[in-house]
Amino acid sequence: MVPHLITALTGPINELEQRVLESMPAIERWFRLEWMEHTPPFYSSVDLRNAGYKLAPVDTNLFPGGFNHLTPDMLPLAVQAAMAAIEKICPEAKNLLLVPENDIRNSFYLSNLATLVRIFSQAGLNVRLGSLDPTVTGPTELSLADGSALTLEPLLRTRGRVGLKGFDPCTVLLNNALSAGVPRSIEHLHEQYLLPPLHAGWPSRRKSQHFKAYEEVAKKFSKLLGMDSWLINPMFIPLQSADFSAGQGLEALQTQVDAVLSKTRRKYKEYGIQEKPFVVIKPDAGTYGAGVLTVRDAKELPELMQRSAWGRGPDGASAHQIVVQEGVVTHERVHDAVAEPVVYMMDRYVVGGFYRVHAERGVDENLHAPGASFVPLAFSQASQLPRPGEKPGVSAPNRFYMYGVIARLGMLAASYELEVTDPEAEVYA
Amino acid sequence: MVPHLITALTGPINELEQRVLESMPAIERWFRLEWMEHTPPFYSSVDLRNAGYKLAPVDTNLFPGGFNHLTPDMLPLAVQAAMAAIEKICPEAKNLLLVPENDIRNSFYLSNLATLVRIFSQAGLNVRLGSLDPTVTGPTELSLADGSALTLEPLLRTRGRVGLKGFDPCTVLLNNALSAGVPRSIEHLHEQYLLPPLHAGWPSRRKSQHFKAYEEVAKKFSKLLGMDSWLINPMFIPLQSADFSAGQGLEALQTQVDAVLSKTRRKYKEYGIQEKPFVVIKPDAGTYGAGVLTVRDAKELPELMQRSAWGRGPDGASAHQIVVQEGVVTHERVHDAVAEPVVYMMDRYVVGGFYRVHAERGVDENLHAPGASFVPLAFSQASQLPRPGEKPGVSAPNRFYMYGVIARLGMLAASYELEVTDPEAEVYA
């Protein structure tokens, strides 16, 4: 059941694990106090990279689409967390409208939707699916691989509310990152709870905002544990308003790449790390790892950009604002293939996770790409519960506890980020 | 892993299961609304009896002592529920003082304590054990079967607080039903959270109060589901101030036994049940199933009382107030032995359960007795999550979901009961 997992067993990460385990009650209390001040995202998933010498979140997704990859053993945790989340937001809730991505032909994604329907039904809600896709004009039955079916219905917008024919929800749950923009049908829903809020969608969200918030969180947490925050935080520099299509901006970008590379080199030297530093360049807005470039030398940039058609086409449009981030290799393998852990959370609780595995990608490449496969994290046997007293690095439960801690830091950063970027918050400022 | 379980597969219980499954979102919402008005006990366990024609809680324990019998797979649920409970009561909590039963030489009970320590540590608290036993005068190490150890320390009472040497808790968690009375050292702790409250202990608690509250809960719930509340509620009559030692009161008791037996007979006739009705006579106060008598005919009473030394001795002292309750047989077996499900809850969440199995007891006898053994409920595989669409009575997850629902009704009744009996509530009334 447990995948054969080769995890990074040496170096600073084991010291970090040791410290995280020893500080468990303090860490959990720290989170508890943070959640008194900040509202956790309704749900989230965080991609982690474990390099052996550092462990860091590299992506925080506020519209997680892989609930089907969690082991079924973890579902009771998700149901319990969903109950807690609903109790806080809208305890009298009866109906939940789930709004999926427009393109739902992917059978994995359908299975994700079926899992979400199951979780929220069992948490005590009538769940129905409403589509933002204008081509969905009547109830549409979608068949799943296991023989079951889901029904997708067109949204009905009335003055202050959105629903379906004969279905008036008190809460609308988006499982759609709104990459194509915010449709009018879900704007200004002042009478309903819309989760996550619209400004969590990619039209508004900026990775640089998230990384900035994460830096703050990582520093606070590292202070609590008395450690260098670099061990859990990749350095980054946001670069604004560069127009690569016109050939400009390249020089500025090369300077930033050099700056991040030499900062990383210094850190590697400090820790005696025998690796070649690299950076990843990401568009500040956008999802699905689109347009992520791995760069080891600023001189390679012109060729790399040409080869990847970067700065042009649909991704190019959003590439005017970019982020240069310290690259973190993943030194984890599942059956010889490069792997990175992905942790799923609902409300403030870790509810499961899986390894994203890619046989054709390198340790320094983005694994969120076609060809990836998924192996549920060995969260089964009692599982993410740490076992104090075991030697660091040898116990899967202990490693997974640490993953859950770092993933929750990513989630907390998203909470900070959404507070800062909330367009309605300024009204009360 | 899953015990070979023979459960009652026919009759009204399957219709009830069907109705419970179909109404799942409505049921969960109903509980959510109830918990807006009422505070769940911090933790609880409920003993159930499944007779095939009816399913009912027969005992609701507010100081559950069998956390060690839960399957380890369920621990993450308990940790998550503990986090939710603490967040509500005292989010800034750092230290938790756990007060065990005085007699802790039982290795099963020690293992229960170790499990509780593990759960609350992982929920983010420093947990230490403080004893009410006056013979514990210094730190005492207790060895567990698995080679680990717990340290028991004497309580230190200062003006408004209780703690240990060098340990000032914000919350005191009783795992001691206070059967021997309320010690002064934990009275009037106005500066700390004492959980459960003192009036949940046996010196104050009365089964008749609980059954009355349960009757109210069962009627509300049955209205929601449009069913006869008798299917989940055993009839009862409380009898007060009978002095059996003086030979009085016997006649009144016989009248009550007859009354309950003939009411039960009428119900059996209505449902076509081919069983011989019986009643159980319980002391209104008291725990551990002490002094529970099974009676099939009021005429047997004098002999039965004589034989069981009932009405005399330590249990006799509390037997002046007794309850006559409709008996519910258990038609469940684990490996040929009579079994009854026990459901564990923390805050408002089901966190696991087990079968209490007794090879030497009959279907109409109390199984809470020396010689009982325990089999974790097959709550493992995704587990207490119901599977809609499956034929009633054939799916363990569906049966366990129903058990979780009925157990939560028992817990809700305890919540009603503690509100009514709260000595401090009257101050504000």
Side-chain angles (χ1 to χ4, degrees):
Chain A
M1 300 297 287
V2 178
H4 179 64
L5 163 70
I6 300 165
T7 185
L9 289 181
T10 52
I13 214 68
N14 285 351
E15 287 166 40
L16 177 60
E17 185 180 290
Q18 184 76 26
R19 204 163 307 179
V20 163
L21 281 177
E22 284 164 3
S23 315
M24 186 177 59
I27 290 171
E28 295 302 331
R29 178 171 184 261
W30 182 83
F31 275 120
R32 214 188 301 135
L33 296 174
E34 286 287 331
W35 298 131
M36 283 176 76
E37 306 285 329
H38 307 280
T39 305
F42 188 79
Y43 53 13
S44 56
S45 71
V46 171
D47 297 357
L48 297 175
R49 285 283 185 127
N50 178 4
Y53 53 87
K54 87 185 277 175
L55 172 66
V58 291
D59 194 18
T60 300
N61 186 348
L62 298 176
F63 303 90
F67 278 94
N68 50 309
H69 298 309
L70 307 181
T71 148
D73 288 354
M74 300 297 283
L75 282 186
L77 274 177
V79 171
Q80 192 175 297
M83 284 174 160
I86 292 157
E87 188 190 38
K88 271 196 286 185
I89 293 158
C90 176
E92 69 280 8
K94 212 176 204 167
N95 295 336
L96 178 81
L97 178 65
L98 179 60
V99 178
E101 292 289 347
N102 288 5
D103 183 4
I104 49 156
R105 283 163 305 180
N106 180 317
S107 71
F108 285 119
Y109 184 67
L110 274 184
S111 168
N112 165 65
L113 290 180
T115 307
L116 283 172
V117 169
R118 195 167 171 213
I119 291 169
F120 290 105
S121 301
Q122 288 169 357
L125 294 160
N126 301 308
V127 188
R128 281 165 69 176
L129 300 175
S131 178
L132 288 171
D133 181 352
T135 67
V136 175
T137 53
T140 309
E141 189 138 304
L142 305 162
S143 300
L144 277 86
D146 68 357
S148 63
L150 290 172
T151 304
L152 196 64
E153 295 174 75
L155 290 185
L156 275 187
R157 173 72 192 232
T158 54
R159 191 177 278 269
R161 303 179 75 88
V162 72
L164 305 175
K165 200 176 166 187
F167 187 74
D168 183 26
C170 105
T171 307
V172 181
L173 179 61
L174 292 177
N175 196 244
N176 182 320
L178 307 175
S179 301
V182 176
R184 284 197 169 177
S185 54
I186 56 169
E187 276 184 324
H188 311 299
L189 292 175
H190 300 304
E191 296 177 13
Q192 289 165 309
Y193 294 93
L194 180 65
L195 299 166
L198 289 180
H199 70 283
W202 281 117
S204 323
R205 218 179 153 210
R206 293 293 171 268
K207 285 176 184 163
S208 53
Q209 285 277 10
H210 179 74
F211 294 145
K212 208 175 133 197
Y214 182 74
E215 190 168 70
E216 189 185 339
V217 166
K219 279 182 180 165
K220 272 193 189 180
F221 180 79
S222 299
K223 204 175 158 190
L224 175 78
L225 259 64
M227 64 179 226
D228 181 358
S229 68
W230 179 77
L231 292 174
I232 55 169
N233 183 30
M235 295 177 289
F236 78 101
I237 298 175
L239 186 72
Q240 296 202 337
S241 306
D243 186 353
F244 299 108
S245 55
Q248 297 162 354
L250 180 61
E251 211 170 306
L253 178 58
Q254 283 177 312
T255 310
Q256 303 294 46
V257 167
D258 268 338
V260 174
L261 283 174
S262 59
K263 275 179 158 183
T264 307
R265 214 168 282 125
R266 274 203 295 279
K267 277 292 182 185
Y268 280 14
K269 208 175 161 191
E270 184 185 333
Y271 284 94
I273 295 159
Q274 308 289 334
E275 305 249 1
K276 195 172 158 57
F278 67 103
V279 300
V280 281
I281 305 180
K282 304 172 174 180
D284 203 6
T287 181
Y288 294 131
V292 174
L293 268 192
T294 298
V295 184
R296 309 193 154 276
D297 187 332
K299 292 194 206 81
E300 301 169 1
L301 256 182
E303 199 205 319
L304 274 172
M305 287 174 76
Q306 194 111 34
R307 213 195 310 154
S308 65
W310 210 72
R312 293 196 303 269
D315 286 312
S318 60
H320 293 235
Q321 293 186 308
I322 60 172
V323 182
V324 180
Q325 193 180 34
E326 175 196 341
V328 181
V329 294
T330 177
H331 274 161
E332 293 197 287
R333 301 273 187 293
V334 174
H335 300 306
D336 293 335
V338 175
E340 62 187 17
V342 182
V343 178
Y344 268 61
M345 287 156 291
M346 196 166 287
D347 196 75
R348 62 195 193 87
Y349 304 104
V350 172
V351 297
F354 51 82
Y355 276 101
R356 182 183 290 125
V357 182
H358 209 305
E360 288 141 41
R361 294 263 169 148
V363 294
D364 56 355
E365 284 183 294
N366 177 24
L367 308 185
H368 201 157
S373 63
F374 305 92
V375 179
L377 265 181
F379 264 151
S380 3
Q381 296 133 7
S383 60
Q384 92 275 49
L385 297 185
R387 297 188 191 152
E390 288 193 14
K391 231 175 100 192
V394 298
S395 145
N398 286 352
R399 184 52 48 93
F400 294 150
Y401 175 68
M402 182 168 60
Y403 288 170
V405 169
I406 305 299
R408 282 183 285 166
L409 296 179
M411 159 164 75
L412 182 58
S415 163
Y416 281 35
E417 173 201 350
L418 292 179
E419 276 163 21
V420 170
T421 57
D422 186 352
E424 288 176 27
E426 286 169 275
V427 179
Y428 312 102
Chain B
M1 300 297 289
V2 179
H4 179 66
L5 164 70
I6 300 165
T7 182
L9 289 181
T10 51
I13 216 68
N14 286 351
E15 286 166 40
L16 177 60
E17 184 181 292
Q18 184 76 25
R19 204 165 304 182
V20 163
L21 281 177
E22 284 165 0
S23 315
M24 185 178 57
I27 290 171
E28 295 303 330
R29 178 170 183 263
W30 183 82
F31 274 120
R32 214 188 300 133
L33 296 174
E34 286 287 332
W35 298 131
M36 284 176 74
E37 307 284 331
H38 307 281
T39 305
F42 188 79
Y43 54 12
S44 56
S45 71
V46 171
D47 298 356
L48 298 175
R49 285 284 183 125
N50 178 5
Y53 53 87
K54 88 186 276 173
L55 172 67
V58 290
D59 194 17
T60 300
N61 187 347
L62 298 177
F63 303 89
F67 278 94
N68 52 308
H69 297 309
L70 307 181
T71 148
D73 288 354
M74 300 297 284
L75 282 186
L77 273 176
V79 172
Q80 192 174 296
M83 285 175 160
I86 292 157
E87 188 190 40
K88 271 196 287 184
I89 294 159
C90 176
E92 69 281 8
K94 213 175 203 168
N95 295 337
L96 178 82
L97 177 65
L98 179 60
V99 178
E101 292 288 347
N102 288 6
D103 184 4
I104 49 158
R105 284 163 304 181
N106 179 315
S107 71
F108 286 120
Y109 184 67
L110 274 184
S111 171
N112 165 64
L113 290 180
T115 307
L116 283 173
V117 170
R118 197 168 169 211
I119 290 170
F120 290 104
S121 302
Q122 288 170 356
L125 294 160
N126 302 307
V127 187
R128 281 165 70 176
L129 300 175
S131 179
L132 287 172
D133 180 352
T135 68
V136 174
T137 53
T140 309
E141 188 139 306
L142 305 163
S143 301
L144 277 86
D146 68 356
S148 64
L150 291 171
T151 304
L152 195 64
E153 293 174 75
L155 290 185
L156 275 187
R157 173 71 193 234
T158 55
R159 191 176 277 270
R161 304 180 74 87
V162 70
L164 306 175
K165 200 177 166 187
F167 187 75
D168 183 26
C170 106
T171 307
V172 181
L173 179 61
L174 293 178
N175 196 244
N176 183 318
L178 307 174
S179 303
V182 177
R184 283 198 171 177
S185 54
I186 55 168
E187 276 183 324
H188 311 299
L189 292 175
H190 300 303
E191 295 177 16
Q192 289 164 308
Y193 295 92
L194 179 66
L195 300 165
L198 290 178
H199 71 282
W202 280 117
S204 323
R205 219 181 151 207
R206 292 295 172 267
K207 284 177 185 162
S208 53
Q209 284 279 10
H210 180 74
F211 294 145
K212 207 175 135 199
Y214 182 74
E215 188 168 73
E216 190 186 339
V217 166
K219 279 184 179 163
K220 271 194 189 180
F221 180 80
S222 299
K223 204 175 160 193
L224 175 78
L225 259 65
M227 62 178 227
D228 180 358
S229 68
W230 179 76
L231 293 174
I232 56 169
N233 183 30
M235 296 177 290
F236 77 100
I237 299 174
L239 186 73
Q240 296 200 340
S241 307
D243 186 354
F244 300 108
S245 57
Q248 297 161 354
L250 180 62
E251 209 169 310
L253 178 59
Q254 283 177 311
T255 311
Q256 303 294 45
V257 167
D258 267 338
V260 174
L261 282 174
S262 60
K263 275 179 159 186
T264 307
R265 214 168 282 124
R266 273 202 296 280
K267 277 292 180 185
Y268 280 12
K269 205 174 164 192
E270 185 186 333
Y271 284 93
I273 296 160
Q274 307 290 333
E275 306 249 0
K276 192 172 161 55
F278 68 103
V279 299
V280 281
I281 304 181
K282 305 173 174 180
D284 203 7
T287 181
Y288 295 131
V292 173
L293 267 193
T294 298
V295 184
R296 309 194 153 274
D297 188 332
K299 290 193 208 84
E300 301 169 2
L301 256 179
E303 199 205 319
L304 274 173
M305 287 174 74
Q306 194 111 33
R307 215 194 308 154
S308 64
W310 209 74
R312 293 197 303 270
D315 287 310
S318 61
H320 292 235
Q321 293 185 307
I322 58 170
V323 181
V324 180
Q325 192 181 34
E326 175 196 340
V328 181
V329 295
T330 177
H331 274 161
E332 295 197 285
R333 300 273 187 294
V334 174
H335 301 305
D336 295 336
V338 175
E340 62 187 16
V342 182
V343 178
Y344 268 61
M345 288 155 291
M346 195 168 288
D347 196 77
R348 63 195 193 86
Y349 305 104
V350 172
V351 299
F354 52 81
Y355 277 100
R356 182 181 293 123
V357 182
H358 208 304
E360 288 141 41
R361 293 265 169 149
V363 295
D364 56 356
E365 281 184 296
N366 178 25
L367 307 185
H368 202 157
S373 62
F374 305 92
V375 180
L377 264 181
F379 264 151
S380 6
Q381 295 134 8
S383 59
Q384 90 273 53
L385 297 185
R387 297 188 192 152
E390 287 192 15
K391 230 176 103 191
V394 298
S395 147
N398 285 351
R399 184 51 49 94
F400 293 150
Y401 175 68
M402 182 168 62
Y403 288 169
V405 169
I406 304 299
R408 282 184 285 166
L409 296 179
M411 159 166 73
L412 182 58
S415 164
Y416 280 36
E417 173 200 349
L418 292 179
E419 277 164 19
V420 169
T421 57
D422 186 352
E424 286 176 31
E426 286 168 276
V427 178
Y428 312 103

